[in-house]
Amino acid sequence: AQSVTQPDIHITVSEGASLELRCNYSYGATPYLFWYVQSPGQGLQLLLKYFSGDTLVQGIKGFEAEFKRSQSSFNLRKPSVHWSDAAEYFCAVGDYGGSQGNLIFGKGTKLSVKP
Amino acid sequence: GAGVSQSPRYKVAKRGQDVALRCDPISGHVSLFWYQQALGQGPEFLTYFQNEAQLDKSGLPSDRFFAERPEGSVSTLKIQRTQQEDSAVYLCASSLTGAFSYEQYFGPGTRLTVT
């Protein structure tokens, strides 16, 4: 069965610093991979997704992620963090074993931004 | 246009009460998903509708959980005889189709607290 691991529960970075959030997945074939962001009291918003092709994916709000098959990873990056990026970030994989379209999420990484 | 809306936003129920949670998806979206997000966890899939058909209910934790979408638009998640372990945020998402290539749009969730 597919699974997603986000090793970091909480990360704090200074505003303007670079950011990398880690995500590892377990799946035999090429997965569908997603990053979502959740602000307090808000629903999940899709940042970016990977299906196939170019392994470096650009998303909204200046985020990007790189799919590395050899490492089973899909890490999220941003070159310069803004205070408004403080939120919880979830990595997800498409569940081929279930119905069409449902997602399997990691436990999330909470990002705090220091001024 | 309007996004996915959910009501109520907050619900407190005494153990043993029945609750009903409502989801209004984006107009025209065929697919509708329910997820359960426990505190400190990522969302977990509960059930999936394609129009009015419930195609997958494999994630429903017990037979106390029931979902419907009778006219293929609004959906209701009902929990009978609530237990403390049902306390969580219940998220609804809709998508143009069920395929992974279409973005799932999430509502803000209903936070259920069972006392």
PDB file of all heavy atoms in Angstrom, chain B residues 18-34:
ATOM      1  N   ASP B  18     -26.350  12.028  17.681  1.00  0.00           N
ATOM      2  CA  ASP B  18     -26.142  11.936  16.237  1.00  0.00           C
ATOM      3  C   ASP B  18     -25.808  13.326  15.699  1.00  0.00           C
ATOM      4  O   ASP B  18     -26.333  14.331  16.180  1.00  0.00           O
ATOM      5  CB  ASP B  18     -27.408  11.429  15.544  1.00  0.00           C
ATOM      6  CG  ASP B  18     -27.805  10.035  15.977  1.00  0.00           C
ATOM      7  OD1 ASP B  18     -27.008   9.345  16.665  1.00  0.00           O
ATOM      8  OD2 ASP B  18     -28.924   9.611  15.637  1.00  0.00           O
ATOM      9  N   VAL B  19     -24.931  13.380  14.687  1.00  0.00           N
ATOM     10  CA  VAL B  19     -24.598  14.657  14.058  1.00  0.00           C
ATOM     11  C   VAL B  19     -24.688  14.518  12.542  1.00  0.00           C
ATOM     12  O   VAL B  19     -24.536  13.416  11.994  1.00  0.00           O
ATOM     13  CB  VAL B  19     -23.187  15.159  14.456  1.00  0.00           C
ATOM     14  CG1 VAL B  19     -23.106  15.395  15.951  1.00  0.00           C
ATOM     15  CG2 VAL B  19     -22.105  14.215  13.984  1.00  0.00           C
ATOM     16  N   ALA B  20     -24.913  15.651  11.886  1.00  0.00           N
ATOM     17  CA  ALA B  20     -24.953  15.696  10.424  1.00  0.00           C
ATOM     18  C   ALA B  20     -24.100  16.864   9.957  1.00  0.00           C
ATOM     19  O   ALA B  20     -24.292  17.994  10.402  1.00  0.00           O
ATOM     20  CB  ALA B  20     -26.380  15.843   9.922  1.00  0.00           C
ATOM     21  N   LEU B  21     -23.178  16.579   9.088  1.00  0.00           N
ATOM     22  CA  LEU B  21     -22.252  17.578   8.568  1.00  0.00           C
ATOM     23  C   LEU B  21     -22.529  17.752   7.084  1.00  0.00           C
ATOM     24  O   LEU B  21     -22.619  16.770   6.341  1.00  0.00           O
ATOM     25  CB  LEU B  21     -20.799  17.119   8.794  1.00  0.00           C
ATOM     26  CG  LEU B  21     -20.456  16.603  10.196  1.00  0.00           C
ATOM     27  CD1 LEU B  21     -18.995  16.179  10.262  1.00  0.00           C
ATOM     28  CD2 LEU B  21     -20.790  17.612  11.260  1.00  0.00           C
ATOM     29  N   ARG B  22     -22.587  19.019   6.660  1.00  0.00           N
ATOM     30  CA  ARG B  22     -23.005  19.299   5.290  1.00  0.00           C
ATOM     31  C   ARG B  22     -21.839  19.813   4.454  1.00  0.00           C
ATOM     32  O   ARG B  22     -20.980  20.546   4.959  1.00  0.00           O
ATOM     33  CB  ARG B  22     -24.112  20.345   5.306  1.00  0.00           C
ATOM     34  CG  ARG B  22     -24.612  20.800   3.948  1.00  0.00           C
ATOM     35  CD  ARG B  22     -25.584  21.953   4.090  1.00  0.00           C
ATOM     36  NE  ARG B  22     -25.874  22.585   2.809  1.00  0.00           N
ATOM     37  CZ  ARG B  22     -27.009  22.417   2.140  1.00  0.00           C
ATOM     38  NH1 ARG B  22     -27.971  21.650   2.641  1.00  0.00           N
ATOM     39  NH2 ARG B  22     -27.193  23.024   0.981  1.00  0.00           N
ATOM     40  N   CYS B  23     -21.830  19.432   3.198  1.00  0.00           N
ATOM     41  CA  CYS B  23     -20.829  19.910   2.254  1.00  0.00           C
ATOM     42  C   CYS B  23     -21.516  20.391   0.981  1.00  0.00           C
ATOM     43  O   CYS B  23     -22.292  19.651   0.362  1.00  0.00           O
ATOM     44  CB  CYS B  23     -19.843  18.795   1.901  1.00  0.00           C
ATOM     45  SG  CYS B  23     -18.687  19.226   0.568  1.00  0.00           S
ATOM     46  N   ASP B  24     -21.201  21.626   0.584  1.00  0.00           N
ATOM     47  CA  ASP B  24     -21.667  22.175  -0.688  1.00  0.00           C
ATOM     48  C   ASP B  24     -20.471  22.256  -1.632  1.00  0.00           C
ATOM     49  O   ASP B  24     -19.613  23.134  -1.458  1.00  0.00           O
ATOM     50  CB  ASP B  24     -22.266  23.572  -0.508  1.00  0.00           C
ATOM     51  CG  ASP B  24     -23.652  23.524   0.051  1.00  0.00           C
ATOM     52  OD1 ASP B  24     -23.798  23.501   1.294  1.00  0.00           O
ATOM     53  OD2 ASP B  24     -24.606  23.499  -0.753  1.00  0.00           O
ATOM     54  N   PRO B  25     -20.391  21.381  -2.607  1.00  0.00           N
ATOM     55  CA  PRO B  25     -19.220  21.399  -3.486  1.00  0.00           C
ATOM     56  C   PRO B  25     -19.323  22.524  -4.507  1.00  0.00           C
ATOM     57  O   PRO B  25     -20.341  23.220  -4.603  1.00  0.00           O
ATOM     58  CB  PRO B  25     -19.317  20.038  -4.173  1.00  0.00           C
ATOM     59  CG  PRO B  25     -20.791  19.766  -4.239  1.00  0.00           C
ATOM     60  CD  PRO B  25     -21.351  20.345  -2.960  1.00  0.00           C
ATOM     61  N   ILE B  26     -18.261  22.674  -5.271  1.00  0.00           N
ATOM     62  CA  ILE B  26     -18.277  23.639  -6.362  1.00  0.00           C
ATOM     63  C   ILE B  26     -19.278  23.152  -7.415  1.00  0.00           C
ATOM     64  O   ILE B  26     -19.289  21.955  -7.748  1.00  0.00           O
ATOM     65  CB  ILE B  26     -16.867  23.805  -6.946  1.00  0.00           C
ATOM     66  CG1 ILE B  26     -15.960  24.461  -5.894  1.00  0.00           C
ATOM     67  CG2 ILE B  26     -16.891  24.624  -8.225  1.00  0.00           C
ATOM     68  CD1 ILE B  26     -14.503  24.530  -6.275  1.00  0.00           C
ATOM     69  N   SER B  27     -20.082  24.061  -7.905  1.00  0.00           N
ATOM     70  CA  SER B  27     -21.111  23.700  -8.876  1.00  0.00           C
ATOM     71  C   SER B  27     -20.498  23.017 -10.104  1.00  0.00           C
ATOM     72  O   SER B  27     -19.510  23.505 -10.671  1.00  0.00           O
ATOM     73  CB  SER B  27     -21.863  24.957  -9.312  1.00  0.00           C
ATOM     74  OG  SER B  27     -22.824  24.654 -10.291  1.00  0.00           O
ATOM     75  N   GLY B  28     -21.076  21.905 -10.471  1.00  0.00           N
ATOM     76  CA  GLY B  28     -20.603  21.195 -11.660  1.00  0.00           C
ATOM     77  C   GLY B  28     -19.530  20.162 -11.388  1.00  0.00           C
ATOM     78  O   GLY B  28     -19.159  19.393 -12.285  1.00  0.00           O
ATOM     79  N   HIS B  29     -19.027  20.128 -10.178  1.00  0.00           N
ATOM     80  CA  HIS B  29     -18.000  19.125  -9.860  1.00  0.00           C
ATOM     81  C   HIS B  29     -18.642  17.764  -9.672  1.00  0.00           C
ATOM     82  O   HIS B  29     -19.567  17.595  -8.885  1.00  0.00           O
ATOM     83  CB  HIS B  29     -17.220  19.534  -8.615  1.00  0.00           C
ATOM     84  CG  HIS B  29     -16.133  20.499  -8.908  1.00  0.00           C
ATOM     85  ND1 HIS B  29     -15.116  20.781  -8.006  1.00  0.00           N
ATOM     86  CD2 HIS B  29     -15.868  21.238 -10.014  1.00  0.00           C
ATOM     87  CE1 HIS B  29     -14.294  21.655  -8.556  1.00  0.00           C
ATOM     88  NE2 HIS B  29     -14.733  21.954  -9.760  1.00  0.00           N
ATOM     89  N   VAL B  30     -18.099  16.799 -10.394  1.00  0.00           N
ATOM     90  CA  VAL B  30     -18.658  15.454 -10.398  1.00  0.00           C
ATOM     91  C   VAL B  30     -18.278  14.688  -9.139  1.00  0.00           C
ATOM     92  O   VAL B  30     -19.063  13.958  -8.569  1.00  0.00           O
ATOM     93  CB  VAL B  30     -18.168  14.704 -11.656  1.00  0.00           C
ATOM     94  CG1 VAL B  30     -18.459  13.220 -11.561  1.00  0.00           C
ATOM     95  CG2 VAL B  30     -18.806  15.308 -12.907  1.00  0.00           C
ATOM     96  N   SER B  31     -17.035  14.870  -8.732  1.00  0.00           N
ATOM     97  CA  SER B  31     -16.509  14.046  -7.644  1.00  0.00           C
ATOM     98  C   SER B  31     -16.524  14.788  -6.321  1.00  0.00           C
ATOM     99  O   SER B  31     -16.262  15.987  -6.267  1.00  0.00           O
ATOM    100  CB  SER B  31     -15.067  13.632  -7.958  1.00  0.00           C
ATOM    101  OG  SER B  31     -15.034  12.814  -9.092  1.00  0.00           O
ATOM    102  N   LEU B  32     -16.812  14.038  -5.272  1.00  0.00           N
ATOM    103  CA  LEU B  32     -16.832  14.605  -3.927  1.00  0.00           C
ATOM    104  C   LEU B  32     -16.205  13.604  -2.970  1.00  0.00           C
ATOM    105  O   LEU B  32     -16.508  12.404  -3.013  1.00  0.00           O
ATOM    106  CB  LEU B  32     -18.279  14.915  -3.504  1.00  0.00           C
ATOM    107  CG  LEU B  32     -18.449  15.659  -2.175  1.00  0.00           C
ATOM    108  CD1 LEU B  32     -19.637  16.627  -2.259  1.00  0.00           C
ATOM    109  CD2 LEU B  32     -18.606  14.715  -1.009  1.00  0.00           C
ATOM    110  N   PHE B  33     -15.316  14.108  -2.144  1.00  0.00           N
ATOM    111  CA  PHE B  33     -14.574  13.286  -1.193  1.00  0.00           C
ATOM    112  C   PHE B  33     -14.810  13.797   0.224  1.00  0.00           C
ATOM    113  O   PHE B  33     -14.886  15.003   0.447  1.00  0.00           O
ATOM    114  CB  PHE B  33     -13.071  13.356  -1.466  1.00  0.00           C
ATOM    115  CG  PHE B  33     -12.661  12.985  -2.868  1.00  0.00           C
ATOM    116  CD1 PHE B  33     -12.727  13.907  -3.897  1.00  0.00           C
ATOM    117  CD2 PHE B  33     -12.202  11.713  -3.149  1.00  0.00           C
ATOM    118  CE1 PHE B  33     -12.343  13.576  -5.187  1.00  0.00           C
ATOM    119  CE2 PHE B  33     -11.811  11.366  -4.441  1.00  0.00           C
ATOM    120  CZ  PHE B  33     -11.890  12.306  -5.455  1.00  0.00           C
ATOM    121  N   TRP B  34     -14.847  12.891   1.165  1.00  0.00           N
ATOM    122  CA  TRP B  34     -14.820  13.231   2.584  1.00  0.00           C
ATOM    123  C   TRP B  34     -13.526  12.681   3.183  1.00  0.00           C
ATOM    124  O   TRP B  34     -13.143  11.535   2.922  1.00  0.00           O
ATOM    125  CB  TRP B  34     -16.000  12.631   3.334  1.00  0.00           C
ATOM    126  CG  TRP B  34     -17.302  13.346   3.144  1.00  0.00           C
ATOM    127  CD1 TRP B  34     -18.324  13.013   2.298  1.00  0.00           C
ATOM    128  CD2 TRP B  34     -17.770  14.504   3.858  1.00  0.00           C
ATOM    129  NE1 TRP B  34     -19.373  13.894   2.423  1.00  0.00           N
ATOM    130  CE2 TRP B  34     -19.062  14.815   3.382  1.00  0.00           C
ATOM    131  CE3 TRP B  34     -17.218  15.302   4.862  1.00  0.00           C
ATOM    132  CZ2 TRP B  34     -19.809  15.888   3.861  1.00  0.00           C
ATOM    133  CZ3 TRP B  34     -17.949  16.371   5.340  1.00  0.00           C
ATOM    134  CH2 TRP B  34     -19.242  16.655   4.844  1.00  0.00           C
TER     135      TRP B  34
END
